Amino acid sequence: MGKEVNGVSRSRFEMFTNSDEAVINKKLPKELLLRIFSFLDVVTLCRCAQVSRSWNVLALDGSNWQRIDLFDFQRDIEGRVVENISKRCGGFLRKLSLRGCLGVGDSALRTFSQNCRNIELLSLNGCTKITDSTCNSLSKFCPKLKHLDLASCTSITNLSLKALSEGCPLLEQLNISWCDQVTKDGIQALVRSCPGLKGLFLKGCTQLEDEALKHIGAHCPELVTLNLQTCSQITDEGLITICRGCHRLQSLCVSGCANITDAILHALGQNCPRLRILEVARCSQLTDVGFTTLARNCHELEKMDLEECVQITDGTLIQLSIHCPRLQVLSLSHCELITDDGIRHLGSGPCAHDRLEVIELDNCPLITDASLEHLKSCHSLDRIELYDCQQITRAGIKRLRFTRAKFLVREAESKHTHGKAFAVTETVKRCP
């Protein structure tokens, strides 16, 4: 062992000294050091850059900065920081998130677009200073862009979508939620030139009408995810076009679209068998008839939000329990006609034993402790919402908690001896 310096051997001390002649720099080739640095996050790279001149060069090498997310690092950055990042990373940068960076504007993003022409994923969510000028820059310099998040960038208009349609034909996912100046003209321009679109997030785009949906249905055969939450002007007519033209649809959110009826559920059942997520909260015209068609045809459903679908009864739960074995999350909040019998069918269905994780029953006045007994068979259940269920008692909740605790013990113990697991299983069977 070499002579110690403050309790650290001299050889180890020299390896981490500020000297550029440190052992690690001599023993390992630059390519291997770069490979090691490539696994570090932004904060660690910045710290390494301060160790020595050679590490500064390695840490700030563009190849280590292919993916940058500043959300958890520093959100109050100014435009010049983005410009410096773009100059440092250049063509290496593939993914950048500036989510919540309120100080970043069009000028910085123009410099960024000019320097980082290989960018594929860009999040500007909440960057409220940007305007159509930013999308013009992206269109001009970033032809490889695939994912773009402009949510809450409220100055964005149809001009942005037209610019993207001209310069970013590879676009696969676009989020323009709360960009409420966008109309059917912008959507039409976008979808005609970006046939590979798989995800469209249009939440809060309140000017969109059925004509916009008809353009999507006609030109987006690859569409997998569509969010139209609170697009209150849309009706069955536009959504039926979506269902008929987008057979690969897996996730649809139309919560708050109060005009839709069972015709939508029939169209989904007939055209979109791969549907996994359906959110129809506050769609009060939907009934058991529509959900019956849906359940009998969409067997891959995993998440359903039926909050305030006030006309549905136990009939819907019976159909879901029979035909939807993959159901994991189900919200029935404010579905005031649901009773213990519907929960009984759900608790005895194929999804109950291994799949169902969350069930929301708040403000369901007919639900009693009997429903909690029926849910004891749901081994994967993590959360139940029971707010304002006046007939649920503390004793019923206590019994359910006791049983769920036993299930968790059984799952943990099953990793050990068979005899031990069997003993715990017997205990569960004796629970009241």
Side-chain angles (χ1 to χ4, degrees), residues 55-72:
W55 275 35
N56 181 276
V57 172
L58 291 169
L60 298 182
D61 188 274
S63 63
N64 291 323
W65 296 77
Q66 297 184 42
R67 297 173 297 277
I68 303 175
D69 187 346
L70 297 180
F71 183 74
D72 294 321

Side-chain angles (χ1 to χ4, degrees), residues 186-291:
I187 297 296
Q188 180 182 17
L190 178 76
V191 298
R192 282 187 171 179
S193 299
C194 301
L197 277 169
K198 296 179 180 179
L200 268 177
F201 299 84
L202 308 174
K203 179 179 179 180
C205 294
T206 53
Q207 294 197 54
L208 295 185
E209 301 172 333
D210 289 334
E211 286 301 314
L213 303 194
K214 291 178 181 179
H215 293 309
I216 295 172
H219 298 286
C220 298
E222 304 295 320
L223 196 66
V224 173
T225 302
L226 179 62
N227 189 322
L228 296 166
Q229 183 174 338
T230 66
C231 295
S232 55
Q233 297 193 59
I234 66 174
T235 71
D236 293 343
E237 184 180 359
L239 281 170
I240 288 173
T241 305
I242 293 284
C243 296
R244 291 174 176 171
C246 306
H247 298 289
R248 299 188 179 186
L249 196 65
Q250 295 183 20
S251 177
L252 175 64
C253 177
V254 287
S255 294
C257 300
N259 295 323
I260 67 173
T261 72
D262 283 343
I264 297 308
L265 301 180
H266 291 302
L268 285 168
Q270 294 165 3
N271 297 282
C272 304
R274 301 182 186 180
L275 193 68
R276 295 188 300 108
I277 299 172
L278 178 64
E279 299 179 19
V280 288
R282 303 182 302 284
C283 297
S284 58
Q285 297 189 57
L286 303 181
T287 73
D288 293 337
V289 175
F291 283 112

Side-chain angles (χ1 to χ4, degrees), residues 398-411:
K398 185 176 181 180
R399 285 194 298 271
L400 180 65
R401 282 178 174 168
F402 176 77
T403 305
R404 292 299 302 131
K406 289 295 184 180
F407 279 126
L408 292 174
V409 171
R410 181 185 70 172
E411 291 170 359

Side-chain angles (χ1 to χ4, degrees), residues 238-383:
L239 281 170
I240 288 173
T241 305
I242 293 284
C243 296
R244 291 174 176 171
C246 306
H247 298 289
R248 299 188 179 186
L249 196 65
Q250 295 183 20
S251 177
L252 175 64
C253 177
V254 287
S255 294
C257 300
N259 295 323
I260 67 173
T261 72
D262 283 343
I264 297 308
L265 301 180
H266 291 302
L268 285 168
Q270 294 165 3
N271 297 282
C272 304
R274 301 182 186 180
L275 193 68
R276 295 188 300 108
I277 299 172
L278 178 64
E279 299 179 19
V280 288
R282 303 182 302 284
C283 297
S284 58
Q285 297 189 57
L286 303 181
T287 73
D288 293 337
V289 175
F291 283 112
T292 295
T293 300
L294 181 79
R296 289 179 176 177
N297 292 278
C298 298
H299 306 301
E300 298 183 18
L301 281 166
E302 296 176 1
K303 177 183 178 182
M304 297 185 71
D305 184 355
L306 311 184
E307 180 176 353
E308 293 187 39
C309 290
V310 294
Q311 294 195 53
I312 67 171
T313 71
D314 295 336
T316 289
L317 299 192
I318 292 172
Q319 295 301 319
L320 293 177
S321 69
I322 296 171
H323 301 291
C324 301
R326 299 186 180 184
L327 197 60
Q328 297 176 18
V329 178
L330 179 62
S331 176
L332 298 168
S333 303
H334 295 272
C335 294
E336 298 184 355
L337 301 180
I338 297 296
T339 74
D340 294 330
D341 191 55
I343 303 300
R344 177 177 66 83
H345 281 89
L346 197 65
S348 61
C351 70
H353 297 288
D354 300 312
R355 296 280 184 169
L356 193 63
E357 298 175 0
V358 176
I359 183 166
E360 298 177 355
L361 295 170
D362 49 292
N363 294 280
C364 293
L366 302 181
I367 295 297
T368 74
D369 287 350
S371 285
L372 304 188
E373 295 295 319
H374 300 320
L375 292 173
K376 285 182 178 180
S377 60
C378 301
H379 298 176
S380 297
L381 198 61
D382 288 330
R383 179 165 60 88

Side-chain angles (χ1 to χ4, degrees), residues 24-38 54 57-59 61-64:
I24 192 171
N25 297 329
K26 291 181 178 180
K27 295 294 185 181
L28 297 179
K30 177 184 176 182
E31 292 76 15
L32 183 53
L33 287 169
L34 278 174
R35 176 63 174 163
I36 295 171
F37 276 49
S38 70
S54 59
V57 172
L58 291 169
D61 188 274
S63 63
N64 291 323

Side-chain angles (χ1 to χ4, degrees), residues 27-258:
K27 295 294 185 181
L28 297 179
K30 177 184 176 182
E31 292 76 15
L32 183 53
L33 287 169
L34 278 174
R35 176 63 174 163
I36 295 171
F37 276 49
S38 70
F39 292 99
L40 305 180
D41 59 29
V42 171
V43 176
T44 308
L45 282 171
C46 290
R47 289 172 178 166
C48 289
Q50 300 176 56
V51 171
S52 68
R53 282 173 293 181
S54 59
W55 275 35
N56 181 276
V57 172
L58 291 169
L60 298 182
D61 188 274
S63 63
N64 291 323
W65 296 77
Q66 297 184 42
R67 297 173 297 277
I68 303 175
D69 187 346
L70 297 180
F71 183 74
D72 294 321
F73 177 52
Q74 186 177 357
R75 274 171 279 174
D76 57 349
I77 65 171
E78 298 177 356
R80 58 183 178 81
V81 176
V82 175
E83 294 178 10
N84 290 336
I85 288 175
S86 71
K87 292 172 183 177
R88 171 65 63 178
C89 301
F92 285 107
L93 190 61
R94 297 292 190 275
K95 300 178 181 180
L96 174 65
S97 176
L98 298 174
R99 181 167 55 110
C101 294
L102 302 178
V104 177
D106 293 329
S107 177
L109 286 164
R110 178 175 178 81
T111 301
F112 164 82
S113 301
Q114 291 173 327
N115 291 328
C116 302
R117 303 189 181 205
N118 292 320
I119 192 73
E120 296 177 0
L121 185 152
L122 178 62
S123 176
L124 302 174
N125 188 316
C127 297
T128 52
K129 282 188 176 182
I130 70 169
T131 70
D132 294 329
S133 177
T134 286
C135 289
N136 285 329
S137 298
L138 293 171
S139 173
K140 187 174 181 179
F141 301 111
C142 303
K144 297 182 180 180
L145 190 63
K146 293 182 179 179
H147 292 225
L148 179 60
D149 188 347
L150 297 170
S152 299
C153 298
T154 53
S155 295
I156 294 298
T157 73
N158 291 335
L159 295 177
S160 285
L161 301 193
K162 291 176 181 178
L164 293 171
S165 71
E166 294 168 359
C168 303
L170 301 181
L171 205 61
E172 295 180 359
Q173 183 167 300
L174 178 66
N175 187 346
I176 51 171
S177 296
W178 309 114
C179 297
D180 55 7
Q181 297 188 57
V182 170
T183 70
K184 61 179 175 58
D185 294 332
I187 297 296
Q188 180 182 17
L190 178 76
V191 298
R192 282 187 171 179
S193 299
C194 301
L197 277 169
K198 296 179 180 179
L200 268 177
F201 299 84
L202 308 174
K203 179 179 179 180
C205 294
T206 53
Q207 294 197 54
L208 295 185
E209 301 172 333
D210 289 334
E211 286 301 314
L213 303 194
K214 291 178 181 179
H215 293 309
I216 295 172
H219 298 286
C220 298
E222 304 295 320
L223 196 66
V224 173
T225 302
L226 179 62
N227 189 322
L228 296 166
Q229 183 174 338
T230 66
C231 295
S232 55
Q233 297 193 59
I234 66 174
T235 71
D236 293 343
E237 184 180 359
L239 281 170
I240 288 173
T241 305
I242 293 284
C243 296
R244 291 174 176 171
C246 306
H247 298 289
R248 299 188 179 186
L249 196 65
Q250 295 183 20
S251 177
L252 175 64
C253 177
V254 287
S255 294
C257 300

